[in-house]
Amino acid sequence: MMQTDQPLCPRVPHMLYGGDYNPEQWPEEVWLEDARAMREAGVNLVSVAIFSWAWLEPRPGEYDFGWLDRVLDILHQHGIAVDLATATASPPPWMARLHPESLPLTADGVRLWPGGRQQYCPSSPAYREAAAALVRAMASRYKDHPALAMWHVNNEYGCHVASCYCDVSAVAFRRWLERRYGSLDALNDAWGTAFWSQRYDQWDEILPPRRAPTLSNPTQQLDFYRFTSDALLELFDMERDILREITPNVPMTTNFMNFFKPVDYWTWAKHEDIVSNDIYPDPSDPESPVYAAMSHDLMRSLGGGRSWLIMEQTPSNVNWRPHNALKRPGQMRLWSMQSIAHGADGIMMFQWRAAKAGAEKFHGGMMPHVGPERSRVWREVVELGQNLKRLDEVLGARTPARVAMMLDWQSWWGLELDSKPSESVRMYDQLHRYYRALYARNIAVDFVEPGADLSGYKLVLVPNLYMARGDIAADLERFVSGGGVVVMSYFSGIVDEHDHILLGGYPAPFRRLLGLRVQEFEPMMPDQSNGLIVSKSGSGAAFSCDQWRDEIDLEGAEAIATFASDYYAGHPAVTYHQFGQGGAYYLGTRPDAAFMDWLLERACAEAGATPTAEALEGVEITRRMGEGASYLFVLNHNPHETQVTLPAPAYDLLTGEERPPTIALPPFGVALLREQEPSS
Ligand code: GAL
């Protein structure tokens, strides 16, 4: 059996349930009512003080903790633990008054003013000093409070202001570059400044990539991405170090935002105790379950397979899309269970009580405006709380995946810089096209970063790895020659870590593995497509493809599909190369979904990556494995009843009954089953 882990939050050894709680937006009489209602809903953890800085420190250096003391006491008296925020996410207006230079500047030189939130330059000494002092004061004040169960560091780092281009940031960027390159000569080489007379003679000449007359130096832009992710991480580490010093036994997290490009979550996740995520799938988008599953799998993978936490989702609707659809009855429970199905050990919401004022007053809350007595949403909130109480035995159970999908933030940054053959090649799209084919077949997927240990996997997917860093080519060769299967798409292995072309025919570092050489590539225009003819395997089936065409010379690989028309007619479009004990597929174009299904089914079969259960339209099935037990999560994403037949009867954790192999799931219904014969 697989190992199980310790509960995420040792002080609350249960499925975590709760949400953001902003008591400062309500009169004190409401607090007691809140705590009682939380108990009724089965809430056991709430995030407090995320945006409370101005209340906690109304004037610089003058703290007012009285109200927060009372809130924490009330919560504790009602048996509710606290994920206490460090409150540094939104500086009070006095910060801008006293330190206007702490306000961030965009690449166009526009200042971002107070009035919203997150208006600070990540490198600002004034912000850092005040934030550190607040964190120290909070930790010292509450270190022994019995409600304190977890630290919530800042909030959604980089969400609104990922990077700042001000003079203070310029100095910090230069220091970062000095550490990276050691000398200006090394920097000039790395940035390719022989081009367009860009050679730097002094460190002071270097700036963030502010708006320039035309395309900015790509390596400068790339390094600014790296610097930005690191500058924000420095902020996180600053708070973390204070918390570790004062409360060494309280776990800490900061909430991630799915596939958030500006922040390299691989690096970040190693700095925190618990991976947590905020997710707001659009109920009006039928693809939402696929996007959500992909995001959940990323979160599990960031923590190396450990359980993680949904820190925010809405019980009903958001307020920040142009049109904000409402979750259908049952959908909040279904999507909550979907995250647990992918490894989450807790469900938190934004937010507890729907706000009465402010920019988020039309955002849903667990306690909606209408009040609990009349509310469908409230009834569903209470039902979810009851459901979660039945799931403690799943805590820490792991997801067995034999397929890995490679994602490298640095490569992503490089890929989406300007001046490329096509601006349409986007990382998220590439990942999604692979992922959805596996999702539809109930095949579990982990994400991995380059350099990760691949030995536990049978199939490694590389939807795009524009930048080949480190030993990635050797790692993939070793994996395939030992019997693994790789599938890689176009425009991979094009540049090194400085965004310099790897010469000698594309994709230079992977040519041996793939058995081919790409001479030239050409994007298709947005309205163009080509046919894709499966040459072998007898079928001669025709599919379509778009976005990209590689001009491929076979050097050991065979063409398994060729282009149908244009200059490329009859030329290889998709290839296969046997390499050692395994094989490598290469896609020189972007095939349609039907082809991806066909190809990945074939690759999974070849690799021996088996589905968790048979595929059924709109039904998702995943497995988690604990010590001595394994669990099947059966999720009906269809808005209509669906019959599912499983291999064997099983015990339903939610109803406490044995279920026959064939079960009828209501619209958006779920079944969480303990399998009789634990899979090994
Ligand atoms: C998140 C944020 C919350 C709230 C929520 C609304 O980005 O962390 O504070 O604003 O979105 O959906």
Side-chain angles (χ1 to χ4, degrees):
M1 295 312 298
M2 303 197 68
Q3 74 190 93
T4 38
D5 303 307
Q6 292 304 308
L8 289 181
C9 180
R11 293 216 182 156
V12 193
H14 303 291
M15 273 290 160
L16 302 172
Y17 187 44
D20 279 25
Y21 181 39
N22 300 308
E24 66 272 39
Q25 296 176 13
W26 298 93
E28 284 209 32
E29 328 56 282
V30 178
W31 301 353
L32 205 58
E33 195 188 304
D34 280 331
R36 288 193 188 123
M38 285 174 192
R39 275 194 74 86
E40 187 192 331
V43 162
N44 54 23
L45 183 74
V46 287
S47 306
V48 180
I50 296 179
F51 296 105
S52 305
W53 191 344
W55 286 82
L56 292 168
E57 192 181 359
R59 281 158 294 279
E62 222 177 90
Y63 296 110
D64 175 9
F65 289 119
W67 67 272
L68 188 55
D69 293 351
R70 293 196 291 286
V71 169
L72 263 56
D73 291 347
I74 291 175
L75 290 169
H76 179 62
Q77 282 151 16
H78 287 78
I80 293 149
V82 171
D83 164 42
L84 187 56
T86 55
T88 53
S90 191
W94 55 251
M95 177 76 77
R97 177 168 52 83
L98 298 176
H99 302 283
E101 80 294 347
S102 70
L103 294 169
L105 202 69
T106 67
D108 291 305
V110 175
R111 272 275 169 230
L112 302 178
W113 298 96
R117 63 178 177 185
Q118 213 177 69
Q119 70 284 357
Y120 59 84
C121 156
S123 303
S124 157
Y127 169 78
R128 287 186 177 203
E129 216 174 281
L134 176 64
V135 176
R136 187 165 288 282
M138 290 282 279
S140 310
R141 179 90 179 181
Y142 296 111
K143 65 181 190 311
D144 297 320
H145 198 289
L148 175 65
M150 191 189 290
W151 283 111
H152 184 105
V153 178
N154 198 284
N155 192 65
E156 293 191 339
Y157 277 101
C159 170
H160 309 298
V161 183
S163 38
C164 173
Y165 295 76
C166 73
D167 289 342
V168 175
S169 297
V171 173
F173 184 39
R174 281 175 212 136
R175 264 194 238 118
W176 183 93
L177 289 167
E178 280 189 65
R179 284 199 297 277
R180 181 172 173 85
Y181 293 110
S183 71
L184 267 182
D185 282 347
L187 178 137
N188 277 310
D189 270 357
W191 285 21
T193 56
F195 181 80
W196 280 356
S197 179
Q198 290 174 351
R199 189 186 160 279
Y200 291 99
D201 188 51
Q202 297 190 16
W203 287 102
D204 285 358
E205 294 164 358
I206 298 172
L207 291 168
R210 293 177 179 158
R211 181 76 61 233
T214 183
L215 306 167
S216 285
N217 182 306
T219 320
Q220 177 191 14
Q221 295 188 61
L222 179 63
D223 273 343
F224 195 64
Y225 268 111
R226 292 177 171 132
F227 158 76
T228 291
S229 181
D230 285 357
L232 289 170
L233 185 58
E234 246 177 58
L235 283 185
F236 173 84
D237 284 350
M238 174 189 84
E239 297 201 16
R240 180 201 61 179
D241 291 348
I242 298 168
L243 298 174
R244 284 244 161 99
E245 176 199 323
I246 301 174
T247 55
N249 299 319
V250 180
M252 76 193 60
T253 187
T254 186
N255 40 352
F256 288 165
M257 291 164 284
N258 312 290
F259 290 81
F260 183 63
K261 181 176 161 188
V263 173
D264 177 355
Y265 284 155
W266 287 122
T267 313
W268 276 63
K270 297 180 183 84
H271 289 234
E272 61 179 358
D273 300 317
I274 298 168
V275 171
S276 64
N277 192 41
D278 298 353
I279 188 162
Y280 294 94
D282 185 348
S284 73
D285 181 353
E287 276 295 284
S288 279
V290 187
Y291 292 127
M294 181 159 123
S295 174
H296 301 331
D297 285 343
L298 175 66
M299 292 305 134
R300 187 186 66 247
S301 306
L302 290 171
R306 289 194 311 277
S307 304
W308 54 281
L309 176 63
I310 286 282
M311 184 59 88
E312 288 181 25
Q313 65 169 7
T314 179
S316 47
N317 60 317
V318 298
N319 68 315
W320 39 259
R321 292 196 172 97
H323 307 95
N324 299 291
L326 195 59
K327 286 181 178 169
R328 294 291 176 259
Q331 217 165 24
M332 187 254 292
R333 183 174 85 127
L334 171 68
W335 287 1
S336 302
M337 293 302 171
Q338 188 196 24
S339 17
I340 297 177
H342 287 262
D345 274 0
I347 303 294
M348 309 278 285
M349 312 264 184
F350 183 86
Q351 58 178 330
W352 165 251
R353 190 180 272 278
K356 204 173 113 187
E360 292 185 324
K361 58 183 174 298
F362 291 113
H363 195 292
M366 296 166 83
M367 175 76 78
H369 291 149
V370 68
E373 301 80 21
R374 299 182 164 278
S375 165
R376 168 184 65 78
V377 170
W378 173 251
R379 281 197 300 279
E380 292 192 29
V381 162
V382 174
E383 186 198 8
L384 179 61
Q386 286 161 353
N387 282 183
L388 293 177
K389 281 193 183 143
R390 306 185 72 106
L391 300 188
D392 279 356
E393 66 174 88
V394 179
L395 290 177
R398 294 246 175 166
T399 301
R402 293 287 168 263
V403 180
M405 179 123 67
M406 195 164 280
L407 169 62
D408 180 21
W409 254 264
Q410 298 196 33
S411 183
W412 182 2
W413 296 332
L415 173 72
E416 295 183 4
L417 293 174
D418 47 29
S419 57
K420 291 289 191 312
S422 165
E423 63 174 23
S424 300
V425 186
R426 313 305 281 181
M427 195 63 234
Y428 191 67
D429 169 62
Q430 299 286 105
L431 294 171
H432 172 242
R433 281 165 188 268
Y434 275 70
Y435 187 88
R436 74 179 321 286
L438 297 156
Y439 171 88
R441 295 174 48 71
N442 292 318
I443 293 188
V445 184
D446 281 345
F447 284 87
V448 291
E449 59 182 324
D453 176 10
L454 301 177
S455 56
Y457 299 105
K458 295 174 175 221
L459 174 62
V460 173
L461 306 173
V462 189
N464 177 273
L465 193 62
Y466 166 70
M467 181 186 297
R469 298 184 294 121
D471 297 328
I472 184 60
D475 290 352
L476 290 178
E477 285 189 5
R478 199 173 322 109
F479 172 73
V480 175
S481 61
V485 175
V486 159
V487 186
M488 182 182 279
S489 280
Y490 53 92
F491 213 42
S492 292
I494 302 298
V495 297
D496 67 9
E497 61 170 330
H498 302 309
D499 200 40
H500 295 192
I501 300 287
L502 293 160
L503 302 175
Y506 317 114
F510 302 129
R511 277 186 35 224
R512 208 161 65 143
L513 172 66
L514 301 170
L516 52 76
R517 180 199 309 256
V518 174
Q519 289 197 32
E520 302 289 341
F521 31 61
E522 181 188 28
M524 290 191 225
M525 298 303 116
D527 55 354
Q528 260 183 342
S529 63
N530 202 324
L532 205 52
I533 296 171
V534 175
S535 37
K536 290 221 171 150
S537 86
S539 68
F543 299 92
S544 72
C545 59
D546 63 3
Q547 194 177 76
W548 195 270
R549 275 175 296 225
D550 272 340
E551 206 176 311
I552 298 175
D553 291 341
L554 299 176
E555 294 180 339
E558 57 171 312
I560 60 171
T562 51
F563 289 109
S565 62
D566 195 8
Y567 154 67
Y568 298 87
H571 287 251
V574 179
T575 64
Y576 177 75
H577 185 223
Q578 181 149 11
F579 188 81
Q581 306 293 307
Y585 292 86
Y586 179 73
L587 279 64
T589 186
R590 187 175 75 166
D592 60 16
F595 183 91
M596 289 307 280
D597 288 346
W598 175 82
L599 184 82
L600 292 182
E601 183 176 355
R602 173 179 159 146
C604 285
E606 180 183 341
T610 47
T612 306
E614 221 172 283
L616 185 63
E617 185 63 37
V619 176
E620 179 186 353
I621 303 185
T622 74
R623 177 176 282 124
R624 285 179 69 174
M625 293 168 74
E627 272 167 45
S630 74
Y631 305 94
L632 268 194
F633 292 74
V634 188
L635 308 159
N636 180 20
H637 292 287
N638 293 314
H640 51 79
E641 185 184 287
T642 310
Q643 287 227 340
V644 185
T645 301
L646 300 165
Y651 174 79
D652 188 326
L653 297 183
L654 295 178
T655 62
E657 289 165 2
E658 283 298 318
R659 287 275 204 150
T662 298
I663 52 182
L665 288 174
F668 301 127
V670 297
L672 267 62
L673 306 170
R674 190 199 302 130
E675 296 180 283
Q676 284 179 345
E677 294 288 332
S679 301
S680 54

